[in-house]
Amino acid sequence: MPPPRTDAEAAAAEVAPRIRSLQIIHAALVACVAAYLVFITSQGLRFTEDAGTPPLVPLGFAVTSVVMSFVVPPIVRRAGLAACRGQSQIAADSLVTPFVTGHIVAMAMLEGAACLSCFALTGGFGGAPRWFLAVPIAILALMVIRFPRVASAADWVAMAREDITREGQD
């Protein structure tokens, strides 16, 4: 007889198809930024001679988007979990929806910032200094690092289920 499955293992089996879809969406967002960066690089980057003046709009947008990509998803997830409160049996599929939504919101923020930074490298916003090439590359690296895994989603679903159950007992 197989050993009993833990809540996280059971949740992993339930959420795997949804996380697979999320992984495809995530890969598409990363591929979009990477393709745009490769395209503008192949067309020739237009750096400014004034290396001390960065394009403030895309730089500010990039910094704000990176910070907000960590701040907003927990808010989205908490709001999504509010609909599940008070229920005795909660399916993992309904709990994974806030996780997926929060992740997509975070990646969309990063994609917008990376694409705007790439646009600055084409000469938009008056051009950019050479070091500014690191901005879209760093955002792209952050997007790759944050690739969703079934195990992390299952752990989050199990934790959310425990929190909701604990609140129901109080």
Side-chain angles (χ1 to χ4, degrees), residues 29-94:
L29 292 171
V30 170
C32 173
V33 172
Y36 188 37
L37 187 58
V38 167
F39 174 74
I40 64 160
T41 303
S42 69
Q43 298 299 311
L45 300 173
R46 293 174 187 85
F47 296 115
T48 61
E49 296 301 320
D50 185 13
T53 308
L56 294 179
V57 171
L59 184 60
F61 189 71
V63 170
T64 302
S65 294
V66 167
V67 170
M68 295 309 287
S69 76
F70 288 100
V71 173
V72 173
I75 295 169
V76 171
R77 291 173 183 154
R78 277 194 301 274
L81 287 179
C84 297
R85 302 217 189 285
Q87 299 177 8
S88 58
Q89 289 293 333
I90 304 165
D93 191 51
S94 62

Side-chain angles (χ1 to χ4, degrees), residues 36-37 40 45-46 55 57-58 112-128 132 136:
Y36 188 37
L37 187 58
I40 64 160
L45 300 173
R46 293 174 187 85
V57 171
C115 287
L116 190 65
S117 298
C118 287
F119 175 71
L121 293 171
T122 65
F125 301 102
F132 197 78

Side-chain angles (χ1 to χ4, degrees), residues 8-23 96 99 147-158:
E9 290 171 342
E14 287 182 71
V15 303
R18 294 283 306 274
I19 299 304
R20 181 67 182 144
S21 297
L22 178 61
Q23 289 172 337
V96 79
F99 179 87
F147 190 78
R149 296 176 305 122
V150 173
S152 62
D155 290 344
W156 187 86
V157 166

